Amino acid sequence: MTVPTGSDAGGVLVLAATPIGDIADASPALIRELTGAGLIAAEDTRRFKAMLGRLGITVDAPVVSYFDGNEASRVGVLLDALAEGRRVVVVTDAGMPVVSDPGFRVVAAAAERGFRVTAVPGPSAVLTALAVSGLPSDRFCFEGFLPRKSGERRRRLEALASEERTMIFFEAPHRLGDFLADAASVLGADRAGVVCRELTKTYEEVRRGSLGELTAWAAEGVRGEITVVISGAVAVVASLPDAVGAVLGRVAEGERLKDAVAEVATASGLSKSALYDAALAARKG
C-alpha cells in the first residue's frame, strides 16, 4: 500500500503513536508510515533505532532528533521538509506525540502555514490508565506532571480540589510517594486513587485504594513508568447563608470580597454572581 506524498499546501505532518511497552502493540499503520516517510523526527534517535530493530524493519528516510531541548530550533527544519512536499513523521519514545511529549510547536506552526496534519492513533498511557482504573471515565482531565517542589505541587492540587472530573497525572517513580502524600493531604486521604505501573509491560501493576493507602504503599519505593488516576470531587452545594458567612469571614481576615466569593463559590457549588450579590447585601446590612 502506498503512502500519500503530500497535500495541496505541500507535505504532510504525521504524529505517530508508538508502543508504551509491548512492541506487539505497534500498528500496521505505524510501520507503513515509518517505511514511507520522507523525514522522521524522533525524540531519542537511539531508542527509535532500537524500536526499529524490535519491529524488524528499516527506514530509508533521514532521522533527526526532536526533543524538549531542541524542539524550538528544529521546527524550521521540519517546516522546510514539509515545504518540499515530504511526509514528516514525528515519533516520541512511547505513546502519542504532543501529550506530555514534543510535538506541539511543529503542529501549531504547520497548521498555521496550511500544511495537512494527521495522526496514527495508538497506545496512550493516559487512556489506558483511565480505562483500567475503574474510576468514572465519562468526564476526565489530564494534568501531566505536576511541579517537583512540594509547595508548588500542593498549590496546583489545591486548585484541583473541587475538580469533579476524574484526574490523570504522570509522575516519576522516585517522586511518587511525595506526590501521593501531598495529594492525600490536599484532596483528602479518603479520596479514591489508582496507581498504574509499567502499563502493557511484563510487570504491569494496577494498585487501587484510597490516597492514604496508596501513600503508605508507595513509601516502600516504586519502580517503572507511573500513571496516577484520582477520582474527582463530589459536588457539594452549600446553603447560601452558610456560604455568605464563609465569605464574610474571609473578608474580615483581609481577603478581597471578589477573591473570597470566587473561592467559596467554587468550593460550595453556588453561583458566583448570586453569592457576590448576597455577600454584598449582607455587608451593607
Side-chain angles (χ1 to χ4, degrees):
M1 181 175 181
T2 60
V3 178
T5 56
S7 67
D8 292 340
V12 180
L13 180 68
V14 183
L15 306 172
T18 56
I20 60 175
D22 189 347
I23 197 63
D25 291 336
S27 67
L30 170 64
I31 296 173
R32 186 170 66 246
E33 288 292 352
L34 293 177
T35 55
L39 176 67
I40 298 172
E43 183 177 12
D44 186 313
T45 56
R46 289 173 299 180
R47 291 187 180 183
F48 174 70
K49 291 175 182 177
M51 183 186 73
L52 293 180
R54 291 160 62 202
L55 289 172
I57 63 173
T58 57
V59 298
D60 295 326
V63 179
V64 298
S65 63
Y66 183 70
F67 58 94
D68 288 335
N70 73 354
E71 185 177 6
S73 62
R74 274 282 193 256
V75 168
V77 174
L78 303 189
L79 291 178
D80 288 345
L82 290 172
E84 294 169 0
R86 296 158 78 181
R87 198 169 182 90
V88 178
V89 179
V90 177
V91 294
T92 53
D93 292 344
M96 176 62 73
V98 180
V99 182
S100 272
D101 274 323
F104 169 75
R105 285 186 175 88
V106 69
V107 170
E112 181 181 355
R113 287 160 177 77
F115 294 112
R116 182 184 168 210
V117 180
T118 187
V120 175
S124 166
V126 177
L127 296 181
T128 302
L130 177 67
V132 304
S133 70
L135 297 177
S137 58
D138 53 335
R139 297 174 64 237
F140 65 92
C141 60
F142 173 58
E143 291 293 325
F145 287 95
L146 293 193
R148 298 182 180 186
K149 295 182 179 179
S150 180
E152 296 176 6
R153 184 168 57 234
R154 289 174 67 91
R155 283 191 287 274
R156 286 281 297 275
L157 288 167
E158 286 166 0
L160 294 168
S162 59
E163 173 60 65
E164 297 177 19
R165 295 172 294 178
T166 298
M167 297 170 284
I168 307 168
F169 305 85
F170 286 161
E171 190 50 276
H174 62 280
R175 290 196 299 268
L176 179 62
D178 291 338
F179 168 86
L180 290 171
D182 284 342
S185 174
V186 174
L187 305 179
D190 293 333
R191 182 81 70 97
V194 180
V195 175
C196 301
R197 188 179 70 84
E198 295 289 89
L199 285 169
T200 78
K201 299 177 184 177
T202 302
Y203 298 104
E204 175 182 284
E205 180 179 15
V206 178
R207 176 76 60 159
R208 301 178 178 86
S210 68
L211 291 179
E213 292 169 338
L214 293 173
T215 299
W217 164 74
E220 299 178 4
V222 179
R223 295 182 178 180
E225 299 288 334
I226 303 293
T227 306
V228 181
V229 188
I230 299 177
S231 64
V234 177
V236 177
V237 179
S239 68
L240 185 58
D242 288 344
V244 168
V247 169
L248 295 182
R250 285 172 172 260
V251 171
E253 294 176 357
E255 192 169 350
R256 291 196 313 163
L257 176 62
K258 183 178 180 181
D259 295 337
V261 166
E263 291 289 336
V264 175
T266 299
S268 65
L270 292 170
S271 163
K272 187 184 299 184
S273 59
L275 181 55
Y276 183 86
D277 291 343
L280 196 60
R283 288 187 73 187
K284 291 180 179 179

